Amino acid sequence: MTARHLRAALLLAAAVPLAAATAAVVLRASNLKLYADRHRIEITARPRPDCPRCHGEGGWWTGATFPEMEACGCWSDRRELRIRLLPIPAWNEPPF
């Protein structure tokens, strides 16, 4: 390994944790949730803690007999991003 390759490897090793920490701070500040595993990466919205309508709860309950939760627009109207990485393996046996 030459000195040039070693320097590039060290810079990359230092840049990856810095990029991950920066991404975590940005996601937290913008009320987004990051989920990642080997099959997918998902970025979804979270309710705003300072929302005047839902007060950070994400919605409110409506109805008396059969209550349903009505989602607040502070997070439900925002888009979510999903990136598939690896296909999910098929089941080898029936589900019943």
Side-chain angles (χ1 to χ4, degrees), residues 45-80:
R46 292 187 306 175
R48 286 190 345 224
D50 59 344
C51 178
R53 290 187 292 168
C54 70
H55 305 288
E57 296 293 322
W60 48 88
W61 294 98
T62 60
T65 308
F66 300 105
E68 294 182 358
M69 184 170 187
E70 184 175 333
C72 183
C74 70
W75 68 274
S76 65
D77 295 339
R78 294 171 64 189
R79 296 182 59 184
E80 56 186 41

Side-chain angles (χ1 to χ4, degrees), residues 10-54:
L10 288 175
L11 284 173
L12 183 64
V16 169
L18 179 63
T22 304
V25 168
V26 168
L27 288 172
R28 186 165 298 153
S30 63
N31 293 319
L32 295 173
K33 181 175 75 170
L34 173 69
Y35 174 79
D37 63 9
R38 64 185 204 165
H39 298 293
R40 67 188 171 275
I41 298 172
E42 293 180 2
I43 299 176
T44 57
R46 292 187 306 175
R48 286 190 345 224
D50 59 344
C51 178
R53 290 187 292 168
C54 70

Side-chain angles (χ1 to χ4, degrees), residues 76-90:
S76 65
D77 295 339
R78 294 171 64 189
R79 296 182 59 184
E80 56 186 41
L81 175 67
R82 290 190 180 131
I83 302 170
R84 285 185 54 193
L85 300 176
L86 292 174
I88 297 175

